[in-house]
Amino acid sequence: MHIAVNGLNYSYPDGHKALHDISLNVSRGEKVALVGSNGAGKSTLLLHLNGILRGDGNITIEGVELRDDTINAIRKKVGIIFQDPNDQLFCPTVRDDVAFGPEHFGLDASSVDEIVARSLSHVAMGHAANRAAHHLSLGERKRVSIAAVLACAPEILIFDEPAAMLDPRRKREMISFIKGSNRTVIIATHDPDFAVQTTSRCVIMDRGRIVAEGDSKSILNDSELLSSHGL
Ligand SMILES: Nc1ncnc2c1ncn2[C@@H]1O[C@H](COP(=O)(O)OP(=O)(O)O)[C@@H](O)[C@H]1O
Ligand SMILES: [Mg+2]
């Protein structure tokens, strides 16, 4: 199993219990959507998959259990693209933002340059390498944040609300990017249509619990199920 979550529970420091006994398995190359209304616990669950948050329970990535001594290795395998690219991009230039990960891994300058060029061209942002991310449009910043994650060569890509705030054309581009990826992909979205267009399996979350799971098309055609969970 590529990703295995077992009996995960998490409460925020203020005592709010955001995850209740979550178990989830994802196979290599699979594309899975976590679908739920605001506050369902999607982002909280995603943040556990590379150890940004640590709850009670068990998370295993490619057979390696997430622990203090494995967290750095697991972070190289699991790349999270945050909902807001401003949380991801903080360097003076786009090039520096994308170089940050590979430089951190200790690669030499020419390898880093090559990775940066390849990652930016993958999202059609090579022309912006010398610009500042905060001068770009939201859609462009999202693409740069994807490049910054791709530069770290993760095996698993995790997108938190990838379609949020994108205009229809950028949304279509995002759909084809996700569909075209040969990596394991998990997306969190409150948009059932986006989920059905990008994933084959869908997990419905409500108030911190997984309440339904199955083939994306059949789950997302079940309007009674969706409306009973605020979707
Ligand atoms: N930092 C925090 N402190 C306390 N509660 C939080 C925090 N972040 C999120 N929550 C709460 O946890 C629940 C799940 O939030 P979240 O994972 O962001 O949901 P989703 O991504 O599905 O909208 C919500 O009730 C939210 O208010
Ligand atoms: Mg969220």
Side-chain angles (χ1 to χ4, degrees):
M1 196 56 64
H2 212 190
I3 301 172
V5 177
N6 251 304
L8 182 65
N9 286 278
Y10 180 74
S11 298
Y12 278 101
D14 69 355
H16 178 80
K17 185 155 187 187
L19 297 179
H20 295 261
D21 196 24
I22 298 287
S23 294
L24 175 70
N25 289 326
V26 179
S27 307
R28 178 183 285 279
E30 200 179 9
K31 294 189 172 62
V32 176
L34 304 178
V35 181
S37 59
N38 284 332
K42 307 178 298 292
S43 298
T44 305
L45 176 54
L46 294 186
L47 293 173
H48 278 80
L49 298 178
N50 74 351
I52 295 174
L53 294 178
R54 305 285 294 276
D56 294 327
N58 215 277
I59 296 175
T60 304
I61 307 289
E62 284 234 302
V64 177
E65 191 186 330
L66 194 154
R67 292 187 313 255
D68 291 344
D69 60 325
T70 59
I71 198 164
N72 286 334
I74 282 179
R75 283 193 177 153
K76 284 190 188 176
K77 291 180 192 276
V78 182
I80 299 191
I81 293 122
F82 294 118
Q83 173 167 3
D84 183 349
N86 298 331
D87 292 339
Q88 205 133 21
L89 306 173
F90 46 81
C91 294
T93 67
V94 162
R95 188 229 163 251
D96 293 343
D97 274 316
V98 180
F100 186 85
E103 274 169 358
H104 196 72
F105 296 151
L107 297 176
D108 64 75
S110 72
S111 314
V112 172
D113 286 346
E114 194 185 307
I115 289 168
V116 169
R118 191 172 355 112
S119 304
L120 282 173
S121 91
H122 203 88
V123 296
M125 286 302 293
H127 60 280
N130 295 317
R131 296 183 64 195
H134 62 269
H135 290 157
L136 303 175
S137 72
L138 176 75
E140 290 171 325
R141 271 179 281 147
K142 278 242 181 200
R143 278 146 65 198
V144 173
S145 68
I146 293 174
V149 169
L150 291 178
C152 302
E155 293 167 33
I156 298 165
L157 282 182
I158 291 182
F159 293 86
D160 197 355
E161 301 286 357
M165 301 179 294
L166 293 185
D167 65 38
R169 190 177 103 191
R170 296 302 176 205
K171 197 163 152 179
R172 281 197 300 278
E173 287 174 3
M174 185 64 84
I175 290 169
S176 58
F177 181 82
I178 293 172
K179 282 170 74 171
S181 171
N182 51 19
R183 291 180 167 88
T184 306
V185 176
I186 300 183
I187 68 165
T189 178
H190 59 267
D191 177 350
D193 289 327
F194 189 84
V196 83
Q197 289 183 74
T198 48
T199 61
S200 53
R201 185 154 66 94
C202 183
V203 171
I204 307 285
M205 290 185 73
D206 191 3
R207 281 166 287 184
R209 297 171 201 276
I210 292 178
V211 292
E213 191 173 343
D215 165 72
S216 293
K217 282 202 180 70
S218 46
I219 288 258
L220 298 165
N221 280 327
D222 188 341
S223 51
E224 206 171 308
L225 173 76
L226 296 181
S227 66
S228 70
H229 295 293
L231 291 161

